[in-house]
Amino acid sequence: MAMPMRRTLLLLHQATLRSLKNAETSLDVRYPVPLFLPVRTKKRYFIPPAVRLKEKKSLEEKAQTAGLTYRQQYFERPINIACTAGIFDAYIPPEGDARLSTLSKEGLKQRTEQMRQSATSQLAIRKIKEHDPHFITKEFAEKAQEIFIEAHNALAQFNKEKLHSLVTERCYPEMTRGNRYKTIRWRFVESLEPPKVVHARCPDMVTKGNLYGQVTVRMHSKQTLAIYDRFGRLMLGSEEQPKDVLEYLVIERHLVNPYGRWRLHGKIVPSWAPAKDPIVKTIMIPGPVLKPSDEFDALNYEVPKPEAVQWHK
């Protein structure tokens, strides 16, 4: 009894569904479309395709791909072999200009150091004479003094061509640095003592046979020096008052070069030398702050005095 009843209900249910579908199609009934809300995820930024390339091609690879020959670039520092970059085994002037007594401990130490340096200088002078047979110690000291005088005259006259032939490429920027817009008045008065060769070295550079001759000359003379700024105001020295100057000049030559010449390479300033005079600089004195309606009366204005400031070199 239960089974036939169940079959009857299923058939009735199927018939009802068919009738409802037929009614919907006849009446054109539409149900709303279900809405799907996206779930928020991690933000993804736009990355251009060129950046996504893992391997970046270098200039050489790009040139090879294009069929071009890529020239190799050399990042090397250029050097000048016409002169050395410094002073080799610089001469150490004895304190007090070797006037200490040999009986004292300091005087005996000075004498021992002089003997050691003179022995090395004699070996260097022999090497110099092998390449320059006309080198004579006494005559060279006078020649070095002439080079010094001509170089400083060319510097005072701003003769660059002549100065390049008298000083080395290392010494030139040291002499001309800071001289722009300045007037230099220099004069050699007299020589208090005859110049003297006190030191000589014959170093090599780059290769073993590339020799350079460096000779140190002691020169004691009277000179006048005056430096004016661009406004014509005196900055240093005096043109009328000469001063005693003790200098140790270093003259250098490229011995291997047959066309080389002796040129001024630098100066040795001993540690016991007195400090130089300070340079008097021109500064602007601040005036009074005026309003647009005020007038400046120069006769009644007092120049403010600068405060005393301690300075050192």
Side-chain angles (χ1 to χ4, degrees):
M1 185 70 184
M3 290 297 293
M5 191 67 182
R6 187 177 180 184
R7 290 176 182 174
T8 306
L9 290 174
L10 286 173
L11 292 172
L12 183 61
H13 181 66
Q14 292 176 358
T16 307
L17 290 175
R18 289 173 187 170
S19 61
L20 288 173
K21 287 182 180 180
N22 294 332
E24 289 174 1
T25 52
S26 61
L27 296 174
D28 196 11
V29 178
R30 296 181 181 179
Y31 294 97
V33 180
L35 299 176
F36 297 96
L37 297 176
V39 181
R40 184 173 180 180
T41 58
K42 184 180 178 181
K43 289 186 178 180
R44 306 182 188 279
Y45 298 97
F46 173 73
I47 301 175
V51 182
R52 293 182 180 178
L53 296 175
K54 294 182 179 180
E55 298 180 358
K56 294 183 179 179
K57 290 186 177 181
S58 61
L59 293 175
E60 295 184 15
E61 293 177 354
K62 290 181 179 179
Q64 290 177 1
T65 307
L68 302 174
T69 55
Y70 184 79
R71 185 177 180 182
Q72 187 177 0
Q73 297 181 0
Y74 297 95
F75 298 97
E76 297 178 354
R77 184 180 177 183
I79 62 172
N80 183 21
I81 62 171
C83 70
T84 58
I87 301 174
F88 290 89
D89 193 10
Y91 174 68
I92 302 174
E95 189 173 357
D97 198 19
R99 292 175 183 172
L100 296 177
S101 175
T102 55
L103 301 177
S104 61
K105 184 178 180 181
E106 290 79 8
L108 186 61
K109 191 176 181 180
Q110 281 186 2
R111 188 63 180 170
T112 306
E113 183 68 20
Q114 284 181 356
M115 290 176 64
R116 186 187 67 81
Q117 291 184 353
S118 62
T120 312
S121 298
Q122 292 297 327
L123 297 175
I125 289 172
R126 289 180 184 177
K127 282 187 179 181
I128 293 172
K129 287 183 177 180
E130 290 177 2
H131 296 82
D132 187 5
H134 303 288
F135 180 85
I136 301 174
T137 307
K138 294 182 179 180
E139 295 180 359
F140 180 80
E142 297 177 357
K143 182 181 178 181
Q145 186 174 1
E146 293 177 1
I147 294 172
F148 172 80
I149 295 171
E150 291 180 5
H152 282 73
N153 286 331
L155 177 65
Q157 299 170 3
F158 293 99
N159 191 346
K160 296 181 180 180
E161 290 77 10
K162 188 175 181 181
L163 189 61
H164 271 294
S165 62
L166 295 170
V167 300
T168 59
E169 286 75 13
R170 174 198 176 256
C171 184
Y172 181 82
E174 294 182 358
M175 291 183 67
T176 58
R177 187 183 295 115
N179 295 341
R180 193 177 184 184
Y181 305 125
K182 293 182 179 65
T183 305
I184 301 173
R185 296 284 185 265
W186 182 86
R187 184 167 58 91
F188 183 84
V189 181
E190 61 177 346
S191 181
L192 299 178
E193 295 181 30
K196 179 183 177 182
V197 175
V198 294
H199 192 72
R201 288 294 180 270
C202 191
D204 52 2
M205 190 175 70
V206 182
T207 57
K208 191 174 181 180
N210 192 25
L211 296 176
Y212 295 85
Q214 290 186 354
V215 181
T216 305
V217 179
R218 178 187 179 275
M219 195 176 74
H220 191 198
S221 61
K222 270 190 177 182
Q223 306 171 15
T224 59
L225 174 65
I227 301 176
Y228 299 90
D229 61 2
R230 58 178 179 171
F231 303 107
R233 300 184 180 92
L234 183 65
M235 294 179 62
L236 178 70
S238 173
E239 293 189 48
E240 299 176 356
Q241 184 179 0
K243 285 190 176 183
D244 298 350
V245 183
L246 178 62
E247 294 175 313
Y248 294 90
L249 312 176
V250 179
I251 313 296
E252 187 185 82
R253 179 186 172 181
H254 192 194
L255 299 177
V256 182
N257 185 7
Y259 303 101
R261 60 176 66 182
W262 291 101
R263 297 184 295 175
L264 183 63
H265 189 62
K267 292 183 183 179
I268 297 174
V269 181
S271 58
W272 46 265
K276 295 182 180 179
D277 298 333
I279 296 176
V280 181
K281 294 184 179 181
T282 303
I283 59 174
M284 183 183 70
I285 300 175
V289 180
L290 301 176
K291 296 180 181 179
S293 59
D294 297 340
E295 293 183 0
F296 176 68
D297 189 3
L299 298 177
N300 299 329
Y301 177 69
E302 295 182 0
V303 179
K305 295 182 180 180
E307 298 180 358
V309 181
Q310 183 177 353
W311 63 278
H312 61 279
K313 286 189 177 181

